[in-house]
Amino acid sequence: MQITYDSGSGLLNLRILAFDPAEARKIASVILEESDTMINNLSAIAREDAIKYARDELETAVERLKEARRAMTSYRNRTQIVDPSIDTQNQMGLLTILQQQLAEALIEQDLLMDNAREGIHGSFRAAPRGGHRTAHRR
């Protein structure tokens, strides 16, 4: 019996020499059956290992999901917020409105400060049609 391995194709070549061709064929059949059985057993072991690993990963993921849900429920109970993303959007909307009001208030303050300074140095009256202001001393 001679066994060679072809690395290019990944196949094992089996050559059996016997006194009778039928005997050589019988020996080759027995070796082939045993090889098939061994390969199937190894494949089953590898498959079971892969399934066990996948189950372990699934259990870990389920535990992480449960912990995340517990944390979310605790957060909702503590803050009385049902959906944090909607609350965040509402807060951003409120922040935008407050920033606009602040900008308007700062502009109004600047106008009042300008008017107050003008009141100290003289009063201004708008011309009826020309659009020019004229200063008059009191």
Side-chain angles (χ1 to χ4, degrees), residues 127-138:
R129 291 194 181 177
H132 300 288
R133 290 197 232 173
T134 57
H136 297 280
R137 287 260 192 229
R138 287 188 183 180

Side-chain angles (χ1 to χ4, degrees), residues 58-97:
L58 176 62
E59 287 176 18
T60 301
V62 167
E63 287 304 314
R64 287 177 43 216
L65 176 62
K66 286 178 183 177
E67 181 59 33
R69 284 182 176 166
R70 282 191 291 267
M72 185 62 97
T73 300
S74 173
Y75 173 80
R76 287 176 177 163
N77 289 337
R78 189 175 63 252
T79 61
Q80 299 297 312
I81 296 173
V82 176
D83 187 346
S85 64
I86 290 175
D87 186 62
T88 301
Q89 290 173 353
N90 291 341
Q91 288 179 3
M92 290 303 295
L94 178 60
L95 180 61
T96 301
I97 290 169

Side-chain angles (χ1 to χ4, degrees), residues 9-68:
S9 65
L11 297 176
L12 290 174
N13 296 312
L14 178 64
R15 182 175 183 206
I16 298 176
L17 300 174
F19 294 111
D20 180 18
E23 189 68 27
R25 197 171 297 121
K26 184 178 178 184
I27 292 171
S29 293
V30 170
I31 290 174
L32 183 59
E33 287 174 17
E34 288 297 319
S35 297
D36 283 346
T37 301
M38 187 171 84
I39 289 171
N40 289 339
N41 288 339
L42 290 173
S43 295
I45 291 169
R47 184 174 47 251
E48 288 301 319
D49 286 348
I51 290 171
K52 182 186 179 306
Y53 176 76
R55 283 185 182 136
D56 291 345
E57 288 295 311
L58 176 62
E59 287 176 18
T60 301
V62 167
E63 287 304 314
R64 287 177 43 216
L65 176 62
K66 286 178 183 177
E67 181 59 33

